[in-house]
Amino acid sequence: MDSTRHTQAPTTHRRRGRVRRAVPFLAAATALVAAGTAVVANAGPVRPAAAPRVDGNRIDVPVQGGTASIDTASLRVTARTDDGRTVRLSDAPATAPGTPGRITASDGAAHWSYAGSGLDFTARADHGRLSVTAAAHRDTTLNWPVTGTDPATDAVQFPRGEGLSVPVGDRFWNSSAAGLAGSAADMSADLSMPMWGYTLRGTGRGVSYLVPTDIGSTLSFSSDQGRLHTTTSHKFSHADATDDYTVTFALTDGSPVAPAVDYRGWLSQHGQLGSLRDKIAANPQNAKLLGAFHAYLWGDARTPDGIAKLKKLGVSRMWLGYDADGSPMSAAAVTAAKKAGYLVGPYDSWANGQDPKTSDSPTSSWPGTVYPDFCVQGADGKPVPGFHDRGCYLSSQAFEQAEPSQHYLAERTRQMTANGVNSYFLDVDAAGELYQDHSAAHPMTQAQDRANRLARMKRLSAGDKLVLGSEAAGSWANQVLAYDHGSATPVADGLWPLEKDRQTWGGYAPAKAPGVFFKPVDLPADLATAMYDPKYRVPLYETALHDSVVNVERWELSFDKLPQQRNTRALLAMLYNVPLNFVLDGPSLQQHGAELASLQKYFAPLHEAAGTQPMTSFRYLTDDHQVQRTVFGDGTLTVTANFGTTSHDGLAGGCVDATLRGQHGTHRLCPAKVTG
């Protein structure tokens, strides 16, 4: 059993445990999204870019929907909308960078400096946004922008996993029980996308913020007089190549998914938006993700007979994974899975190294002197301890330098795929945490670490033609991955102490059906609210990346692990057009196989039709947010989910309706009737 795998938590938990782990047409585009009309990046009316206007200490920058103004004396940013409203985009930072120098204009941008803090600023219009870049002459920190302070601010949207939209005055989210106020999220690891946004009450307006320079940037949440607001911090470090910091500001129509529309546009404009259609064209095996549920297999479920039982139940598509516990699926079982039309592949990790003589994890055992020679070194010259302080984290730069001659990664891949698998799950690589390596033999910045990971993931997906997934994929990996396990889950920190409580959560026995996977758990009320209350959930990740990456919940949160959330999770999966994930052994396949098959039978045609389409609309149909609707493509698929207990417009509570274009009638699913 690979205990590294079984105790793997996302980057937030790893880091804290070791703290010793708008587009040019944005206003119009989100209106189209809300109306269910297809939105195509770089389409729609675009205000021609105009040079900033300078008046004393004020810089006016034309943006889509109005004009943004920067007061260089305070770094306060406001906007005047085309309909005459004033919107506060950022307050002044608590500590001002100093007295600004004279503003100059050139190349369509305004420039000014703060000699006292060694910061040079540039502001310009960029595809309808205000873009502000700060460059540092020395290491320092800037706590700016300060956002969400406009009196009309109603809700904040941020991409914790799939995404949340939280009313800024909500009593729960301002309390310690929610764990949000007073927290900080590393934008390169703790958020699935480097953006956030706000809606403004009674204005039909909102604001979107993007941070392309996410490495070194942090989004912090504060509660002031019962209202949430956020502050972004950037740590300028020459050693880690974070000397530049860019923030963009955009006016939106206030849709709860408007920040994701903005971010999708930015990705497209910068050539960073992947396409599942293109991935399928490059490797037709990727098409097998469409309509597939995901499951990790244990015990008899790993055998040819287990595969045959799934097929006999009528399950048309599945992604099947197995743990790197030293007993991989047999070639016969893999062959059976592929003949059934399924994807099948191992879990692997290239992030950890231990002494092969004492290693407790097969994935942490490497040949020769990879351990300890490839260990990431901290500033103190000591190896950075691995997960749970076992061994060390391995440097991606050390692997990249050695790979042309030693082929450590290629050989690992060959060994892991020798049984004929057609998929691969590479844990952690797409999730962070990114490392700065101080080793003289393989020095590396966090940006280089990211580039190395992207390069080696691309070799797996493009070179080895494997259907590639990774843990809780950050948006920066969307072009090299076909699926992820984790970015669909808005994990709250309260999950980690619960998972450590082996008596409640389950341990690693029995070997063929560990309780950590199979033991049902009732989430505490506060944790259930923070993670799964549908009135706070919004599909930010799907709005930005639905047609690029197939997004799935975390591997340890299988559908049957949380019985109190099964109905909500089934409705969310159908509404967002994303797969459910399971964990199966022989007995659970016998007990729950028919339920899995019924849910997959409903999901498959919807995902096969819309899995390669963008999510073009999300909206609430009721004021209490209990009834929600999504649209994919130009109406290819429309889904309405009722999370409430009373009927709405003919849709019973706890049920979901789906309509496929070109087909008569509505397809209805009431998960409670299927799962019992």
Side-chain angles (χ1 to χ4, degrees):
M1 177 181 297
D2 183 356
S3 56
T4 298
R5 160 63 163 175
H6 295 153
T7 56
Q8 195 82 39
T11 53
T12 303
H13 183 48
R14 287 200 297 272
R15 183 178 302 105
R16 291 174 183 170
R18 201 173 57 248
V19 173
R20 10 188 148 75
R21 163 185 184 230
V23 292
F25 58 106
L26 189 60
T30 50
L32 291 174
V33 167
T37 304
V39 176
V40 181
N42 297 317
V46 180
R47 172 179 293 184
R53 299 184 296 273
V54 178
D55 183 2
N57 284 329
R58 192 183 78 219
I59 303 170
D60 294 332
V61 179
V63 297
Q64 195 65 25
T67 300
S69 299
I70 306 170
D71 178 3
T72 62
S74 64
L75 272 184
R76 184 176 289 107
V77 186
T78 58
R80 186 72 171 173
T81 66
D82 287 341
D83 58 1
R85 298 180 184 272
T86 298
V87 178
R88 190 184 301 178
L89 301 184
S90 174
D91 275 0
T95 302
T99 302
R102 184 175 66 89
I103 302 171
T104 61
S106 63
D107 300 324
H111 313 273
W112 72 101
S113 299
Y114 300 93
S117 57
L119 291 173
D120 297 334
F121 277 75
T122 299
R124 68 173 70 245
D126 180 12
H127 293 86
R129 308 177 188 89
L130 164 64
S131 178
V132 180
T133 296
H137 296 286
R138 57 178 179 268
D139 290 359
T140 187
T141 298
L142 177 65
N143 299 314
W144 178 88
V146 180
T147 55
T149 59
D150 191 295
T153 300
D154 183 53
V156 56
Q157 295 86 34
F158 55 99
R160 177 189 281 181
E162 179 60 67
L164 296 170
S165 181
V166 174
V168 296
D170 188 283
R171 182 174 299 178
F172 169 74
W173 286 101
N174 279 274
S175 72
S176 59
L180 182 63
S183 71
D186 183 331
M187 287 195 177
S188 67
D190 299 336
L191 298 180
S192 58
M193 298 175 284
M195 57 79 159
W196 71 104
Y198 289 90
T199 54
L200 304 176
R201 182 177 54 257
T203 66
R205 292 285 182 177
V207 185
S208 170
Y209 304 88
L210 312 179
V211 179
T213 52
D214 56 335
I215 296 175
S217 301
T218 302
L219 183 67
S220 300
F221 296 84
S222 303
S223 177
D224 183 12
Q225 298 183 349
R227 288 175 61 82
L228 293 166
H229 70 272
T230 50
T231 300
T232 312
S233 300
H234 184 79
K235 183 178 179 181
F236 296 90
S237 169
H238 183 70
D240 206 25
T242 57
D243 303 287
D244 293 338
Y245 171 46
T246 297
V247 183
T248 73
F249 307 71
L251 297 173
T252 77
D253 67 353
S255 161
V257 295
V261 175
D262 185 17
Y263 183 56
R264 178 182 174 86
W266 189 94
L267 288 173
S268 179
Q269 293 151 10
H270 291 80
Q272 297 179 22
L273 181 60
S275 163
L276 192 54
R277 285 183 183 273
D278 290 346
K279 295 168 189 175
I280 291 171
N283 178 10
Q285 291 292 315
N286 283 311
K288 294 180 180 179
L289 287 168
L290 300 178
F293 280 175
H294 293 228
Y296 279 96
L297 305 180
W298 297 79
D300 292 341
R302 288 190 184 186
T303 65
D305 184 56
I307 304 300
K309 288 179 179 178
L310 272 174
K311 194 66 176 177
K312 186 176 181 180
L313 286 167
V315 177
S316 61
R317 291 282 177 89
M318 285 293 293
W319 178 93
L320 302 174
Y322 56 89
D323 208 59
D325 56 2
S327 301
M329 282 182 69
S330 67
V334 169
T335 297
K338 292 195 297 184
K339 285 185 177 179
Y342 302 160
L343 291 168
V344 58
Y347 152 84
D348 195 5
S349 175
W350 298 347
N352 290 274
Q354 298 183 46
D355 187 337
K357 297 178 182 178
T358 58
S359 176
D360 59 8
S361 165
T363 63
S364 296
S365 297
W366 295 87
T369 59
V370 167
Y371 178 87
D373 291 358
F374 285 18
C375 291
V376 172
Q377 288 189 13
D380 59 2
K382 297 179 180 179
V384 174
F387 187 66
H388 282 185
D389 293 328
R390 305 194 318 277
C392 71
Y393 282 109
L394 297 176
S395 170
S396 65
Q397 182 65 23
F399 274 120
E400 287 300 297
Q401 291 176 187
E403 195 62 14
S405 59
Q406 299 297 323
H407 314 303
Y408 292 119
L409 301 182
E411 179 60 21
R412 169 66 75 87
T413 304
R414 187 194 66 77
Q415 293 172 358
M416 298 290 275
T417 60
N419 55 357
V421 296
N422 52 8
S423 184
Y424 212 87
F425 183 85
L426 187 60
D427 198 39
V428 181
D429 257 35
E433 167 181 8
L434 301 171
Y435 291 98
Q436 181 179 1
D437 191 349
H438 295 266
S439 167
H442 37 80
M444 174 180 72
T445 65
Q446 292 183 59
Q448 288 172 318
D449 190 14
R450 175 181 286 179
N452 292 339
R453 297 184 194 197
L454 287 170
R456 67 196 197 182
M457 286 190 286
K458 187 175 182 179
R459 289 197 294 268
L460 283 172
S461 59
D464 294 320
K465 298 294 184 181
L466 292 164
V467 178
L468 181 65
S470 187
E471 178 194 1
S475 56
W476 50 267
N478 86 89
Q479 292 180 288
V480 298
L481 295 179
Y483 68 95
D484 81 83
H485 291 167
S487 288
T489 309
V491 172
D493 278 350
L495 181 65
W496 311 131
L498 181 63
E499 290 191 0
K500 286 184 177 180
D501 180 358
R502 296 305 180 199
Q503 184 173 356
T504 300
W505 192 260
Y508 300 126
K512 292 186 177 181
V516 68
F517 286 109
F518 288 90
K519 182 181 179 181
V521 173
D522 290 338
L523 293 180
D526 290 339
L527 188 55
T529 297
M531 291 178 61
Y532 289 111
D533 192 326
K535 69 182 179 184
Y536 301 123
R537 294 284 298 264
V538 288
L540 299 179
Y541 199 91
E542 300 315 310
T543 297
L545 296 171
H546 180 266
D547 55 340
S548 177
V549 179
V550 175
N551 192 20
V552 188
E553 285 220 59
R554 288 187 57 79
W555 50 267
E556 82 274 26
L557 298 178
S558 65
F559 184 62
D560 295 312
K561 182 70 176 179
L562 307 175
Q564 298 300 318
Q565 281 71 46
R566 290 212 300 178
N567 205 61
T568 295
R569 295 171 80 190
L571 292 177
L572 285 168
M574 304 309 160
L575 181 68
Y576 294 174
N577 198 229
V578 298
L580 291 169
N581 70 318
F582 294 80
V583 59
L584 299 173
D585 66 344
S588 65
L589 183 56
Q590 183 71 28
Q591 181 181 0
H592 300 297
E595 298 173 353
L596 184 159
S598 294
L599 292 169
Q600 194 268 337
K601 183 178 181 180
Y602 180 85
F603 173 76
L606 309 183
H607 197 233
E608 288 168 2
T612 58
Q613 299 284 326
M615 179 184 281
T616 48
S617 174
F618 170 78
R619 58 192 177 108
Y620 306 118
L621 301 187
T622 58
D623 291 340
D624 62 4
H625 297 182
Q626 293 303 299
V627 185
Q628 304 174 14
R629 177 170 291 165
T630 54
V631 179
F632 298 85
D634 59 353
T636 299
L637 172 67
T638 300
V639 185
T640 305
N642 186 346
F643 296 96
T645 57
T646 60
S647 179
H648 173 82
D649 199 20
L651 177 60
C655 298
V656 59
D657 277 349
T659 303
L660 286 166
R661 187 181 59 196
Q663 293 188 9
H664 294 293
T666 297
H667 305 273
R668 177 165 295 183
L669 173 70
C670 299
K673 295 181 180 179
V674 174
T675 61

